Amino acid sequence: MSESSSVINPAVGAPFIAPTADVGRVMRRVIYALLPGFLAYLWFFGWGPLTNLVYAVASALCFEALLLTVRGRPLWPFLSDGSALLTACLLALSLPPMASWWLPVLGSFIAIVFAKQLYGGLGYNPVNPAMAAYAVLLISFPLEMSQWLSPLELQHQLLGLVESFHYTLTGQLPDGLGFDAISSATPLDKLRTDTGLGQAVAEIRHAPVFGLVAGYGTEWVGLGYLLGGLVLVKLRIISWHIPVAMLGTLAVMATAGFLIDPQLHADPLMQLFGGASMLGAFFIATDPVTAATTARGKLIYGAGIGVLVYAIRTWGSYPDGIAFAVLLMGMTVPLLDQYTVPRMFGARRRGWRE
């Protein structure tokens, strides 16, 4: 083609670059990055996380297909983009292992139907669907959502895959084994409860539920999510701003509390590798739809989540606060994006969108 023809028809001659990543490719990479943490979760907590995952994924895809049919949208393009699958994975990994089948199914219903499809589907949801579902389940069913397994007890009471599915469907364990024998409080829950009773942190940390730096087993799960999250940053699937701001703020506040009163406040490593800190920082708070989009907005958004997580864990009614912190800071995203717009090229001063 001659040079003159390319000038007349710029659509032919322009140096267009084909995009290398679509929604499905990004979602699949995020799911792959969850694998190190998920495998560590399986290693320490048995088959329970897998049962949650099976129920959540199956029901999320069914609800997604049902709502797409009702809305008159094609099924395959939306079912294959991986967004419903990722939502189900994040919800399943947030639930207590070996939760009854209806808990992940109900959570998937809330996430897909109420938090996603009723607002128009992917890209239009105002809140993180997985965390909206988790928050509703936590408030509505506090007893079921607090029944966590003990990795130490599971080492002696091995439950096979069939037995785990049987329990989640029927609520019955093998003869001679009760759920109380394999369950325990989470490290953050025990820390919060025992400090409330006046015990010192150093004394509480001698309990078997704690490991080297955080909870026994949960610290390795957190390390797995950290490794997967760093891969996402390296691949530029997510930016570093939100995880660094969230974890940095959480570490600073935990260090301040620990220095002020080490008998009442846990050390920073306990806050970083306890609970869902790493999962929240790299996989939940970085939701591209509901998180801030500008660089300064991401830093403020991540720092706000870190502050709220520490406040809820220390003075709130729940031992962990990732879901509530993400939902609350998600409400500030339109304002953050409005007032953190960078200076446009050629403009004399920074401004905000009209």
Side-chain angles (χ1 to χ4, degrees), residues 26-38 86-87 89-91 93-94 128 130-131 221-233 237-239 242-243 246-247 276-288 290-291 301 322 326:
V26 170
M27 295 293 175
R28 285 191 295 272
R29 287 186 173 184
V30 175
I31 293 172
Y32 297 153
L34 285 168
L35 284 177
F38 178 68
L86 179 58
T87 296
C89 290
L90 294 177
L91 175 64
L93 295 177
S94 303
N128 186 301
M131 291 300 98
V221 178
L223 182 61
Y225 291 138
L226 172 62
L227 294 177
L230 292 177
V231 172
L232 293 181
V233 174
I237 301 296
I238 62 174
S239 70
I242 293 176
M246 175 188 161
L247 296 175
S277 299
M278 294 298 172
L279 179 65
F282 288 99
F283 295 93
I284 296 174
T286 53
D287 178 14
T290 58
Y301 171 79
I322 298 293
V326 169

Side-chain angles (χ1 to χ4, degrees), residues 9-302:
N9 185 6
V12 175
F16 296 113
I17 300 176
T20 57
D22 54 22
V23 174
R25 186 183 180 92
V26 170
M27 295 293 175
R28 285 191 295 272
R29 287 186 173 184
V30 175
I31 293 172
Y32 297 153
L34 285 168
L35 284 177
F38 178 68
L39 293 177
Y41 203 5
L42 285 180
W43 178 266
F44 286 99
F45 290 87
W47 296 105
L50 182 61
T51 62
N52 287 345
L53 191 64
V54 170
Y55 295 132
V57 168
S59 57
L61 293 178
C62 289
F63 292 133
E64 181 94 333
L66 176 63
L67 266 293
L68 288 172
T69 302
V70 171
R71 296 178 56 213
R73 301 299 177 90
L75 295 183
W76 179 247
F78 293 101
L79 288 178
S80 62
D81 66 11
S83 59
L85 181 60
L86 179 58
T87 296
C89 290
L90 294 177
L91 175 64
L93 295 177
S94 303
L95 297 175
M98 287 181 63
S100 295
W101 65 270
W102 56 268
L103 209 57
V105 172
L106 180 59
S108 296
F109 176 79
I110 297 169
I112 299 299
V113 176
F114 284 99
K116 181 182 177 184
Q117 286 295 337
L118 289 187
Y119 288 97
L122 179 64
Y124 297 95
N125 48 291
V127 296
N128 186 301
M131 291 300 98
Y134 178 85
V136 172
L137 292 177
L138 185 61
I139 295 173
S140 304
F141 309 100
L143 177 61
E144 289 80 2
M145 292 291 286
S146 61
Q147 293 179 332
W148 284 80
L149 299 178
S150 170
L152 283 174
E153 296 301 330
L154 287 175
Q155 291 181 352
H156 307 289
Q157 306 285 352
L158 295 178
L159 289 175
L161 181 60
V162 175
E163 293 170 327
S164 298
F165 271 105
H166 185 263
Y167 173 77
T168 57
L169 290 171
T170 65
Q172 296 179 351
L173 288 170
D175 293 339
L177 182 62
F179 188 80
D180 293 339
I182 57 174
S183 64
S184 71
T186 65
L188 288 178
D189 198 8
K190 182 172 180 57
L191 187 69
R192 182 174 175 279
T193 302
D194 289 357
T195 52
L197 296 174
Q199 296 186 36
V201 171
E203 179 183 356
I204 299 170
R205 290 292 299 269
H206 290 299
V209 70
F210 295 99
L212 297 174
V213 297
Y216 179 80
T218 59
E219 57 196 5
W220 292 101
V221 178
L223 182 61
Y225 291 138
L226 172 62
L227 294 177
L230 292 177
V231 172
L232 293 181
V233 174
K234 176 67 176 178
L235 296 176
R236 298 187 176 182
I237 301 296
I238 62 174
S239 70
W240 58 268
H241 301 80
I242 293 176
V244 169
M246 175 188 161
L247 296 175
T249 304
L250 182 60
V252 168
M253 295 195 68
T255 302
F258 181 72
L259 293 176
I260 293 173
D261 190 351
Q263 300 302 316
L264 186 60
H265 300 283
D267 57 83
L269 288 177
M270 181 68 198
Q271 293 287 347
L272 294 177
F273 288 93
S277 299
M278 294 298 172
L279 179 65
F282 288 99
F283 295 93
I284 296 174
T286 53
D287 178 14
V289 177
T290 58
T293 56
T294 66
R296 286 197 307 151
K298 290 178 180 178
L299 292 174
I300 299 172
Y301 171 79

